């Protein structure tokens, strides 16, 4: 097997300047933004490139990387203040919104959310469900469901809430998946407030794809069966990419993928299946993480670029 190329995302075709680097697991250094999950496979970093160089600074407790066109930021809520995860999500999204709406990058395009004990708590008291309530309280406004960013919510072992995000000058195009109920319309069974995210954001020829699980319609398929869920995720991603291509001739190329697995023991069976399905050459990182519903054991996200025929 050839070595896996280092995951990188190019937001423009000629992008060669580093906008931001994400460090997985314990590899965070002073410069990279953190992804607080244990890395099981792949490179230590994922780099996002743009066409002009970025500057780094801190503002209102947010770590910022910006280049005039794009902004990647990170916001952290410590363990004590994220014990009440609903309140923590409300506070964090209120700050995030206040920050970007007064910045030169008012459009929220992509968000990642990581916190500990994601599935702790019964029924509507589950921390993931409380998080959804707090997030929704902070962002709900007339028409907001047509401007939702692509997102990921994954549970890790590091106490606290970490939110990273990409914002831009101009809005992306919200893309939903014809094979999946829009998450913001999930029925009541999955929580008091449905999750506020889109399946993908299209920016030019790039598609930023949300964390995608084995959810078809709104049902969890193959609960606990990691390999069967990979096949379902593949079908979900195919449906999303086909829908986003809107009949244009060409093909989608994966730039960088992240695979989240709930149980380390699934990795030996799951990784070959992912490489078979998504391409052996695809730059991929595998991280350990909890997913929104107990039956979901794997999730995939990434960035795809459309290459016209
Ligand atoms: C799902 O399809 C799986 O709450 O922002 C994936 C990506 C999931 C984002 C979120 C949840 C979120 O419902 C879980």
């Amino acid at each position: 097997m050839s070595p896996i190329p280092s995951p990188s995302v190019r937001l423009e075709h000629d992008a060669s300047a580093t906008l931001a680097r994400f460090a997985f697991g314990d590899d965070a250094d002073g410069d990279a933004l953190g992804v607080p999950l244990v890395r099981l496979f792949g490179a230590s970093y994922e780099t996002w490139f743009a066409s002009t160089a970025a500057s780094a600074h801190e503002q209102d407790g947010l770590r910022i990387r910006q280049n005039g066109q794009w902004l990647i930021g990170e916001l952290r809520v410590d363990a004590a203040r994220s014990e009440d995860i609903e309140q923590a999500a409300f506070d964090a999204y209120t700050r995030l919104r206040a920050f970007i709406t007064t910045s030169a990058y008012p459009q929220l395009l992509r968000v990642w959310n990581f916190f500990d004990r994601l599935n702790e708590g019964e029924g509507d008291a589950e921390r993931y469900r409380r998080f959804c309530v707090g997030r929704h309280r902070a962002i709900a406004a007339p028409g907001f469901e047509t401007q939702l960013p692509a997102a990921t919510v994954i549970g890790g072992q590091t106490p606290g809430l970490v939110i990273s995000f990409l914002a831009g000058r101009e809005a992306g195009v919200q893309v939903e998946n014809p094979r999946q109920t829009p998450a913001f319309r999930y029925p009541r069974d999955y929580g008091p407030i449905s999750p506020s995210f889109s399946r993908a954001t299209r920016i030019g020829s790039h598609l930023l794809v949300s964390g995608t699980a084995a959810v078809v319609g709104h049902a969890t398929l193959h609960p606990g069966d990691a390999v069967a869920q990979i096949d379902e995720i593949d079908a979900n991603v195919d449906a999303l990419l086909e829908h986003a291509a809107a009949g244009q001739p060409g093909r989608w190329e994966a730039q960088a993928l992240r695979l989240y697995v709930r149980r380390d023991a699934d990795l030996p069976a799951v990784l070959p299946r992912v490489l078979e399905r998504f391409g052996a050459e695809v730059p991929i990182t595998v991280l350990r993480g909890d997913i929104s519903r107990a039956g979901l054991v794997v999730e995939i996200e990434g960035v795809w670029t459309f290459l016209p025929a």
Side-chain angles (χ1 to χ4, degrees):
M1 204 167 80
S2 55
I4 300 285
S6 188
S8 56
V9 172
R10 288 185 161 68
L11 286 168
E12 286 109 10
H13 288 298
D14 58 343
S16 56
T18 300
L19 177 63
R21 289 191 312 144
F22 291 100
F24 301 118
D26 297 326
D27 301 312
D29 58 32
D31 159 67
L33 304 179
V35 177
L37 301 175
V38 172
R39 177 173 52 93
L40 301 176
F41 177 85
S44 306
Y45 296 96
E46 180 185 277
T47 309
W48 286 54
F49 291 99
S51 48
T52 59
S55 62
H57 70 283
E58 272 197 48
Q59 188 183 327
D60 309 331
L62 278 74
R63 296 171 74 204
I64 301 300
R65 308 285 182 266
Q66 62 178 48
N67 78 339
Q69 193 69 32
W70 311 104
L71 180 149
I72 291 184
E74 179 190 276
L75 183 162
R76 289 177 180 255
V77 182
D78 68 27
R81 284 190 306 141
S82 53
E83 195 52 47
D84 181 342
I85 195 70
E86 177 182 336
Q87 191 62 37
F90 176 78
D91 292 344
Y93 274 86
T94 301
R95 280 169 64 199
L96 199 165
R97 255 175 57 115
F99 170 74
I100 68 163
T101 52
T102 57
S103 80
Y105 315 87
Q107 303 294 337
L108 187 57
L109 303 167
R110 179 67 166 98
V111 190
W112 295 265
N113 309 268
F114 305 105
F115 56 93
D116 57 306
R117 293 171 289 138
L118 186 93
N119 302 119
E120 191 182 280
E122 287 304 310
D124 290 347
E126 186 194 35
R127 278 167 61 84
Y128 171 66
R129 294 187 179 192
R130 300 322 309 172
F131 169 87
C132 288
V133 173
R135 172 175 59 181
H136 183 270
R137 273 172 51 211
I139 68 175
F144 84 111
E145 285 174 342
T146 61
Q147 296 213 309
L148 287 170
T152 296
V153 178
I154 291 289
Q157 285 150 313
T158 309
L161 168 65
V162 178
I163 299 179
S164 29
F165 59 95
L166 171 71
R169 293 183 162 282
E170 273 138 53
V173 176
Q174 177 170 338
V175 180
E176 291 301 321
N177 190 331
R179 206 166 179 264
Q180 299 185 290
T181 304
F184 52 89
R185 295 204 189 117
Y186 282 169
R188 176 64 181 86
D189 320 32
Y190 304 102
I193 293 287
S194 48
S196 310
F197 71 101
S198 67
R199 297 301 178 185
T201 301
R202 185 165 180 158
I203 303 171
S205 57
H206 306 299
L207 197 67
L208 311 186
V209 176
S210 290
T212 304
V215 172
V216 178
H218 56 74
T220 300
L221 265 59
H222 324 295
D225 183 340
V227 171
Q229 288 192 353
I230 292 298
D231 292 353
E232 216 60 66
I233 291 169
D234 181 43
N236 279 342
V237 170
D238 277 353
L240 179 71
L241 295 177
E242 194 194 330
H243 178 63
Q248 263 188 281
R251 65 182 178 89
W252 290 99
E253 184 180 70
Q255 292 197 41
L257 295 190
R258 294 185 195 175
L259 163 66
Y260 303 100
V261 303
R262 186 187 285 278
R263 307 173 299 221
D264 294 11
D266 285 331
L267 190 61
V270 158
L271 187 57
R273 188 68 149 225
V274 170
L275 298 178
E276 189 185 315
R277 290 283 191 151
F278 289 83
E281 307 291 289
V282 74
I284 188 166
T285 307
V286 185
L287 303 163
R288 179 195 298 151
D290 295 331
I291 302 161
S292 61
R293 302 179 192 172
L296 295 173
V297 291
V298 284
E299 186 172 293
I300 291 178
E301 66 172 58
V303 178
W304 274 262
T305 302
F306 192 73
L307 306 171

